[in-house]
Amino acid sequence: GEKVEQHESTLSVREGDSAVINCTYTDTASSYFPWYKQEAGKSLHFVIDIRSNVDRKQSQRLTVLLDKKAKRFSLHITATQPEDSAIYFCAASMSNYNVLYFGSGTKLTVEP
Amino acid sequence: EAAVTQSPRNKVAVTGGKVTLSCNQTNNHNNMYWYRQDTGHGLRLIHYSYGAGSTEKGDIPDGYKASRPSQENFSLILELATPSQTSVYFCASGEGRASQNTLYFGAGTRLSVL
């Protein structure tokens, strides 16, 4: 199956700064790239996604960039807040059938 | 908001024993999934299903069976539990359509095999 690598296992930023989390994938057939957030002791929930027909998508303070040539995508969080502290998972899907392959997660800590 | 309920939330099992983890979703989603979460590995796909009666192997199916007796229910079965299966298990559901790929996760089951 698809292999998704998440490069930063931990990331620490000061409140108000920006954070960037990077992922790479292996299969050129992958076409859907979501991000999920897991707050401490809780389950995962969807935050933002991007499809392969675009290279950028923004939702409020979150932006996802996709570089299909490099098979790389990234999550950018601007003006970070303490509530952004969580583990963020990137994922990729090769088909319309919703089978998501996840990265290993990045623990983001936003320090006051 | 989609609702996915897992039971039990916590389970302690003995090596060699049988463990069944249950998952119920009330949103009529076609697809359901079982993942396990381990530090350093993230989420790994064990089994998934496209609908009632269907089960498919994910990346790490060895030692696990799955059962989807109905649209709502998807179980993960460990016939002979081993300490290496100690983990947090997440069930998820999704509509399985190209236009709607979001997965909805349950709260997780923490399993310890002693």
Side-chain angles (χ1 to χ4, degrees):
Chain A
E2 169 68 280
K3 301 289 183 199
V4 179
E5 272 201 46
Q6 202 160 340
H7 299 277
E8 300 87 4
S9 58
T10 61
L11 180 62
S12 184
V13 299
R14 289 223 181 262
E15 184 176 355
D17 287 351
S18 294
V20 182
I21 302 171
N22 296 287
C23 290
T24 54
Y25 60 99
T26 57
D27 199 308
T28 53
S30 287
S31 60
Y32 175 67
F33 307 92
W35 290 84
Y36 284 76
K37 178 181 181 182
Q38 184 181 33
E39 294 166 35
K42 296 190 177 179
S43 189
L44 290 81
H45 67 268
F46 170 85
V47 288
I48 191 169
D49 61 10
I50 190 166
R51 296 179 188 275
S52 57
N53 59 339
V54 297
D55 55 17
R56 178 189 176 98
K57 181 175 179 179
Q58 183 174 355
S59 175
Q60 298 181 317
R61 295 185 296 109
L62 304 179
T63 301
V64 182
L65 302 179
L66 174 63
D67 181 345
K68 291 189 290 291
K69 279 187 180 177
K71 287 187 281 188
R72 181 172 58 218
F73 59 114
S74 56
L75 175 67
H76 298 246
I77 307 173
T78 59
T80 53
Q81 301 167 0
E83 52 265 38
D84 294 327
S85 294
I87 301 175
Y88 290 82
F89 291 93
C90 60
S93 174
M94 288 190 290
S95 73
N96 294 334
Y97 293 103
N98 247 15
V99 178
L100 287 180
Y101 296 92
F102 284 84
S104 54
T106 297
K107 183 176 183 180
L108 173 65
T109 303
V110 179
E111 297 171 345
Chain B
E1 179 75 13
V4 179
T5 305
Q6 292 182 233
S7 62
R9 292 294 314 279
N10 293 280
K11 173 75 177 178
V12 179
V14 295
T15 298
K18 182 177 180 178
V19 177
T20 300
L21 307 183
S22 299
C23 180
N24 175 274
Q25 55 102 357
T26 58
N27 296 282
N28 200 33
H29 286 166
N30 291 325
N31 294 5
M32 296 186 75
Y33 309 83
W34 278 106
Y35 290 90
R36 62 178 282 177
Q37 183 180 21
D38 303 286
T39 303
H41 291 281
L43 287 165
R44 291 181 290 175
L45 181 64
I46 307 170
H47 283 288
Y48 59 101
S49 169
Y50 294 132
S54 142
T55 60
E56 306 289 336
K57 294 181 179 179
D59 287 339
I60 54 164
D62 293 346
Y64 302 94
K65 286 173 51 178
S67 174
R68 182 88 182 269
S70 65
Q71 183 81 336
E72 297 80 17
N73 295 295
F74 191 37
S75 298
L76 186 68
I77 303 146
L78 292 66
E79 295 278 4
L80 294 169
T82 69
S84 65
Q85 294 174 313
T86 293
S87 187
V88 179
Y89 292 84
F90 286 100
C91 175
S93 73
E95 290 190 35
R97 294 186 288 118
S99 59
Q100 179 49 267
N101 296 74
T102 301
L103 294 193
Y104 296 88
F105 284 83
T109 295
R110 186 173 296 275
L111 173 66
S112 296
V113 182
L114 306 178

